[in-house]
Amino acid sequence: MSEHRRKPPQPEGGGRAAARRAAQQSPTGRRAARGASTGSPSVAHGEERPYEGRAAARRAAQRAGGGRRRAPEAGGAGTGGHGGGRRGTGGPGGPDRGRGGDPGRKRLIDYPRHGKYGWRRWVPSWKLVAGLCLAFLGSLMTAGTIAYAVVEIPDQNKAAEAQNNVYYYADGSQLAATGGEVNRQIVSIDNIPTHMQNAVISAENKTFQTDKGIDPAGIARAVVNMAKGGQTQGGSTITQQFVKNAMLGDQSQTLNRKVKELFISMKVGTELQKPKIMEGYLNTSYYGRGAYGIQAAARTYYGVNAKELTASQCAFLASLLKGATYYDPAGATEIDSRATPKANTERATKRWTWILGEMRKDGHLTAEEHAKAVATFPMPDKPKKNAQLSGQTGYLVDLAKAYFINNNDRGITAEHLAKGGYEIHTTFDRKKVEKLTKAVEDVRNKHIDAEKRPETDTHVQFGGASVNPKTGAIVAIYGGEDATKHFTNNADKTGAQVGSTFKPFVLAAAMRDGVRDPNSGPVQGPEERRIVDPDKSRYNGLNKLKIKKYDGSVWRNEKGEEWLQRNDGDESYRNISLREAMIHSANSPFVQLGMDVGVDKVRQAALDAGLREDSLIEADVPSFSIGISDPSAIRMAGAYATFAADGEQREPYSVTKVEHAGQAIFEHEDKSERKFSSAVSSNITDVLRDVVEDPEGTGRNARLPGRDVAGKTGTTDGNKSAWFVGYTPQLATAIDMYRMDDNAENKNRKFLEMFGTGGQQKIHGSSFPSEIWHDYMEQALKGTEVERFTEPEPLGAEAVYGGGLSSPEPTPSSQAPSETPSETPSETPSETPSETPKPSESCSRFDWTCDPTAGQDGDPTNGGTDTGATDGGATDGGVTTSPSPPTGGSGSGNGGANGSQGSGNGGGWLGGPEG
């Protein structure tokens, strides 16, 4: 036994019993006693006992839990045997074999660590750490070497190859095949101006001439962004951008692609000279308008060869590399509403100036050259389209392309589409597109004569869109006369105000949210509202009605001026129901109703129907309720389609599916959301039916015999735009008409008046727009099943009296009755020129009906200001709290508007859109 742990003397005898007793008395319990001995009396105490054989030792080890391990020879390691230690101290001459005394072999990786206990056993040694790091670095170097050898240097000639994008109608027939229409000729570095090379160096990569082609910091940022789930950043060096441009086969923003770009960039930076890299970069970059490469860009924007570009033009083209969508002065509102011609021109001018300044700072331009280049902004030529995109084709293609870019979840941009290879299936119905085009052209050819009436019939534009209420699919649009000549898609946002076609959203808000009780609110208590009945309720329809807030106080702008609302033709209706007000398109009832409900509620109703927030003016002014905003024809058709679908709103869409390389990469998903109850929507439809079916309705020209039709006319202040928007259960269509000097410089474009256009004294929504709508819808629905609108459901509404009325008169009466509806042209001007604002006065941000040029030509119908006494002939607006008649239930009125400010010029406001 070990000297430090002696046992009492053992009885004589050996064999198994002795071995077992020795194992049981071991300090470690039933451990194997390696090299067990017998207790022979002939052996002196403290001397090593004789070895009894392998079998006995093995049996003892098995009994101690050692399994069938082979017992070591005498003197081996372990707790057994004479001199065995508790922690694996070996017998005489035996090595320390670790805990338990197992015979170990030397391990290649000593982990968990031998001879360590507790937490130290799990802490790797410095040798292990160093070894693993060296192995990892070695693996990376090996993989990097292989990757470097495998990747190929990009071929700019392959990058210049174009493929077609094929667009299809809804029936599967081909609409157009685009792509490759722009010259993609590769030019040598000798034909690229030095100014162009220096412009991109100063703007994008000042260290281009000295760097190794990669930017480790930029790569790290991209990796971090991807790890966070954010957008990745492009290569920050010109070399990396060249590689990115040339990788046509893979446009995904993944870590694998970034790693591949890294190795290609390293190889390009090592094996290509800088001039060759610059040549490849400028020949494969995208400059917008479908132009790839500097030669294509020079021809597209300035009609010259690349080598003929000036320093100023080079700086502009370099600015496009930041994103042509936002820096092309022509604009790209079909892709992003923020990319207007004006905004883009401002952005491009600012960056162009900055690039020229950087070139001067970097020594690429002398002071004289810089002064000459920065003197005048090099405005590029107008966009040109391929002949195959003439007529409506170009508008259809642009609309589908923009929809796909804005709605795909793969990050596919206009730049990707310009490279081609996509099959885009649209919602456009070929026959309906043709019928809408014919309806517009028939009216234009019949009534518009620019040669006969050059002062009034030039710059006349029509726009239109048709949407399926059951799906939201855009089945037809009219974008203009020719997409290769008129570049603005008139079916999209043009800036034309919608006028009285906005009134249904005011009525929908009143039916859904109700008018506010002036006796409730933050001071009096919780706000109370009452749902408005379109027939029981009565509003004051007098001309020059003084508009009040819902609490009865007079509304004033920030200058303290009141608002006196005018009706079209200065017609007055003293006691009129909201249904009658819609039929005659009276303005004052709906302006006061909007104030009573709250402009914020009216705004939300318009958004819920499907209008875009960026198309609605920001100010909460009284005229908001009569259409001083400018939604597109597509959005107006889609919003009315919400009422046709009994309150189910669907986003208008133009693409059903997109395929690339034989795989579907985008498919439209039908999504709808209930925004209005069926009771509200069915009552809106019922009121709008009367606008068309009533003998005095302003929309009577849109009647379709045998079919249910609902719709609304719209004419704006100054007679600068006219609309008709209507629907049947199967189809919702919006038609607009306006005049705009499209040939003027971008910053000077403005809407022109339409007095005398088409030989008519004044253009209303009830004239040419409703005629076009009727002719198109008659043909578009020909041969289809006749469907009926849902009968109006009970609203649970009450009678409300607004505009100063305390009780209804027996029947609505006109203070100054006329023989024609309110939308017919007035025989005499409604106001004298002296009542218009002075030209010198400026329009404030809230003065949405103010025209700075008004009054210069004596426009008698501009709904601007009235410099006369504020009470001269005006009637106080607001809601009364008088009881209603017995049949109408409680008659306490609810009024109002919020206190948001507006602005005007002059003493009292008159105004806003008409009809």
Side-chain angles (χ1 to χ4, degrees), residues 195-217:
H195 288 314
M196 187 67 209
Q197 301 175 47
N198 291 333
V200 295
I201 289 175
S202 292
E204 301 184 30
N205 187 190
K206 291 181 182 292
T207 62
F208 170 70
Q209 298 294 352
T210 58
D211 64 36
K212 300 299 183 182
I214 62 172
D215 177 18

Side-chain angles (χ1 to χ4, degrees), residues 659-713:
E659 296 177 315
H660 186 262
Q663 294 185 344
I665 60 173
F666 172 83
E667 288 191 37
H668 171 74
E669 296 182 7
D670 182 30
K671 296 179 181 179
S672 66
E673 186 175 357
R674 176 160 293 283
K675 294 295 187 178
F676 300 96
S677 67
S678 57
V680 170
S681 57
S682 63
N683 275 274
I684 291 292
T685 296
D686 190 58
V687 171
L688 295 183
R689 285 185 64 183
D690 282 348
V691 173
V692 176
E693 296 176 0
D694 191 282
E696 294 187 348
T698 59
R700 60 187 181 276
N701 288 340
R703 295 173 189 164
L704 297 175
R707 291 188 181 272
D708 287 354
V709 175
K712 183 70 187 75
T713 55

Side-chain angles (χ1 to χ4, degrees), residues 399-420:
L399 183 63
K401 179 170 67 175
Y403 180 83
F404 174 55
I405 290 172
N406 289 325
N407 291 278
N408 77 85
D409 58 1
R410 294 174 174 252
I412 297 174
T413 65
E415 180 178 352
H416 298 141
L417 278 181
K419 294 174 180 177

Side-chain angles (χ1 to χ4, degrees), residues 63-403:
R63 284 192 293 270
R68 295 184 59 85
R69 294 173 184 165
R70 186 178 180 86
E73 297 297 330
T79 57
H82 199 71
R86 179 174 182 178
R87 283 290 181 180
T89 55
D96 184 357
R97 292 296 184 184
R99 182 167 182 169
D102 291 343
R105 294 183 177 86
K106 189 173 182 180
R107 294 181 292 176
L108 178 63
I109 299 177
D110 184 20
Y111 193 82
R113 295 179 66 184
H114 161 70
K116 302 292 182 180
Y117 305 99
W119 62 269
R120 292 182 179 85
R121 190 165 184 256
W122 304 99
V123 177
S125 67
W126 69 268
K127 294 180 180 179
L128 178 61
V129 174
L132 290 176
C133 289
L134 289 175
F136 178 72
L137 293 175
S139 300
L140 283 182
M141 292 179 65
T142 302
T145 302
I146 295 173
Y148 183 89
V150 170
V151 297
E152 297 180 354
I153 294 177
D155 185 350
Q156 59 179 315
N157 292 301
K158 291 182 179 180
E161 294 176 357
Q163 301 181 64
N164 282 335
N165 289 324
V166 182
Y167 294 80
Y168 298 94
Y169 282 108
D171 63 3
S173 60
Q174 183 171 308
L175 167 62
T178 69
E181 67 271 11
V182 177
N183 181 12
R184 296 176 180 231
Q185 179 182 354
I186 298 299
V187 293
S188 66
I189 194 67
D190 297 332
N191 290 314
I192 299 176
T194 303
H195 288 314
M196 187 67 209
Q197 301 175 47
N198 291 333
V200 295
I201 289 175
S202 292
E204 301 184 30
N205 187 190
K206 291 181 182 292
T207 62
F208 170 70
Q209 298 294 352
T210 58
D211 64 36
K212 300 299 183 182
I214 62 172
D215 177 18
I219 296 172
R221 285 193 303 270
V223 171
V224 170
N225 285 341
M226 280 187 291
K228 292 180 178 180
Q231 293 187 350
T232 59
Q233 300 176 359
S236 57
T237 69
I238 287 177
T239 303
Q240 287 176 274
Q241 289 290 353
F242 167 45
V243 172
K244 174 180 176 293
N245 294 341
M247 291 181 67
L248 293 176
D250 182 10
Q251 293 299 329
S252 61
Q253 295 295 321
T254 62
L255 182 60
N256 179 62
R257 184 180 189 274
K258 289 295 179 183
V259 172
K260 188 175 181 181
E261 282 183 14
L262 171 64
F263 284 104
I264 297 176
S265 298
M266 293 170 59
K267 194 165 189 176
V268 169
T270 302
E271 300 187 13
L272 290 185
Q273 297 296 320
K274 293 294 183 179
K276 199 66 178 176
I277 296 174
M278 177 62 73
E279 175 187 302
Y281 172 61
L282 293 176
N283 276 326
T284 58
S285 294
Y286 183 64
Y287 297 82
R289 300 191 188 181
Y292 269 95
I294 185 61
Q295 174 67 10
R299 298 295 302 173
T300 298
Y301 286 92
Y302 294 110
V304 300
N305 291 319
K307 62 182 179 180
E308 300 170 4
L309 292 169
T310 65
S312 181
Q313 291 170 337
C314 288
F316 167 73
L317 293 179
S319 71
L320 292 175
L321 296 176
K322 189 173 179 65
T325 297
Y326 302 101
Y327 289 87
D328 182 356
T333 52
E334 70 278 3
I335 295 177
D336 192 331
S337 60
R338 297 171 296 176
T340 62
K342 181 180 179 181
N344 280 16
T345 300
E346 292 175 354
R347 278 189 287 262
T349 302
K350 184 177 180 180
R351 184 161 179 81
W352 164 79
T353 303
W354 176 80
I355 291 176
L356 288 174
E358 292 298 300
M359 293 175 69
R360 173 73 182 95
K361 187 187 302 182
D362 297 338
H364 299 314
L365 289 178
T366 65
E368 182 180 353
E369 289 173 329
H370 176 265
K372 180 181 179 181
V374 80
T376 306
F377 179 73
M379 184 63 70
D381 299 339
K382 288 187 174 183
K384 303 177 182 65
K385 290 193 176 182
N386 191 287
Q388 68 169 321
L389 298 178
S390 61
Q392 298 305 304
T393 303
Y395 302 124
L396 297 170
V397 167
D398 285 347
L399 183 63
K401 179 170 67 175
Y403 180 83

Side-chain angles (χ1 to χ4, degrees), residues 182 220 238 275 288 299 477 593 632 649 673 863 884:
V182 177
I238 287 177
R299 298 295 302 173
I477 64 168
L593 178 63
S632 67
Q649 194 271 330
E673 186 175 357
S884 61

